């Protein structure tokens, strides 16, 4: 599908790119029938260099990274304030994946009609990332201002309200998804792949129904720490090669919390991710 709203073309990978991964957001070179007529099929013969890659590993001990979306520049981390209850652990994983993949994260707190957003906003305020709160009885101008003209990936736990937001952002989302599924031969209800929809104000929104979390298997300690800019300055005082795990005598992060310079909940979150990645805690 082209950004200028051109033809929807079905294409398969040609021999030269058989081993090249092609995902939503990739820019590809096509040959053959690009008319988009029913039954036509084009061939992908090349893939452009990616500007960003949102990746995941299958689980925290899996070193193989799998790309999910290419060339996106915003990760919209969608988190409900209630029903389901917020999970800061998942937000932190999303932040790691965003910084690691070269996407700018923003936090979208949904269902403000059900619960107050003050505690979550306070927890993430030190990171300085953009935050918006949404509710059914208010407009989405704050969110659209942050998303317009960007390629944005919506990510969050099932039931947090992603599809509701996409349907409000892209009024004809259901028709477009139906057209894409018709071209790709996917059934109406079986689509588990990410799908990109053009937003009326410019830019794209990518819905990611099938991905439940980001594994961190291939993410190094330094890369992981980049998602914790509130803790990173204190970690600079750690001895070289510090794992920052709990129970070390000389990890400077414990001192930062004791001095009131860092939030104990944020340190606990970092340590859960570090421990999960080293395979010592599969949570
Ligand atoms: N109370 C309330 N319910 C919402 C809101 N946004 C979505 N929902 C409901 O939450 C449920 C899950 O929404 P859905 O968009 O399917 O979530 P998804 O799994 O993240 O795509 C649906 O019943 C929605 O009607 C909201 O802002 N407030
Ligand atoms: Mg959904
Ligand atoms: Zn340390």
């Amino acid at each position: 599908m082209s950004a200028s709203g051109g033809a929807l073309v079905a294409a398969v990978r040609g021999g030269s790119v058989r081993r090249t991964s092609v995902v939503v957001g990739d820019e590809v070179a096509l040959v053959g029938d690009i008319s988009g007529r029913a039954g036509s099929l084009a061939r992908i013969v090349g893939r452009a260099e990616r500007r960003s890659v949102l990746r995941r590993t299958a689980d925290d001990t899996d070193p193989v990274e799998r790309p999910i979306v290419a060339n996106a520049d915003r990760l919209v981390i969608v988190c409900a304030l209630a029903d389901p209850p917020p999970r800061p652990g998942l937000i932190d994983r999303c932040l790691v994946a965003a910084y690691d993949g070269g996407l700018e994260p923003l936090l979208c707190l949904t269902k403000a009609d059900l619960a107050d957003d003050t505690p979550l906003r306070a927890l993430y305020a030190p990171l300085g990332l953009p935050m918006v709160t949404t509710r059914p009885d208010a407009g989405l101008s704050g969110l659209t201002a942050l998303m317009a003209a960007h390629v944005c990936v919506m990510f969050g736990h099932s039931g947090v309200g992603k599809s509701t937001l996409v349907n409000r952002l892209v009024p004809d989302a259901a028709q477009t998804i139906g057209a894409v599924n018709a071209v790709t031969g996917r059934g109406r209800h079986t689509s588990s792949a990410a799908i990109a929809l053009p937003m009326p104000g410019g830019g794209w929104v990518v819905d990611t129904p099938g991905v439940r979390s980001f594994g961190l298997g291939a993410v190094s300690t330094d890369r992981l720490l980049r998602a914790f800019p509130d803790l990173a300055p204190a970690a600079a005082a750690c001895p070289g090669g510090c794992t920052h795990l709990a129970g070390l005598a000389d990890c400077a992060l414990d001192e930062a919390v004791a001095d009131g310079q860092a939030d104990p909940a944020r340190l606990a979150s970092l340590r859960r991710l570090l421990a999960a990645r080293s395979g010592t805690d599969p949570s």
Side-chain angles (χ1 to χ4, degrees), residues 11 15 34 55 79 142 212 244 250 267 271:
I34 56 166
R55 321 175 183 81
C79 176
R212 286 193 308 272
H244 312 303
D250 49 5
L267 179 55
R271 285 185 167 156

Side-chain angles (χ1 to χ4, degrees), residues 124-197:
Y124 286 97
L127 275 70
L129 74 153
M131 288 189 258
V132 283
T133 302
T134 64
R135 49 191 305 146
D137 54 352
L140 293 179
S141 57
L143 186 60
T144 47
L146 289 165
M147 292 177 67
H150 291 279
V151 178
C152 308
V153 183
M154 307 294 274
F155 193 89
H157 201 261
S158 176
V160 294
K162 295 182 297 298
S163 296
T164 303
L165 288 175
V166 169
N167 284 315
R168 291 181 69 190
L169 292 165
V170 184
D172 55 356
Q175 281 129 273
T176 308
I177 291 168
V180 169
N181 286 346
V183 168
T184 60
R186 276 197 204 101
R188 258 188 81 216
H189 303 288
T190 56
S191 175
S192 60
I195 189 163
L197 300 165

Side-chain angles (χ1 to χ4, degrees), residues 92-110:
D92 293 332
R93 269 174 192 260
C94 292
L95 290 172
V96 173
Y99 292 123
D100 205 51
L103 290 81
E104 200 181 304
L106 68 102
L107 190 53
C108 177
L109 304 173
T110 62

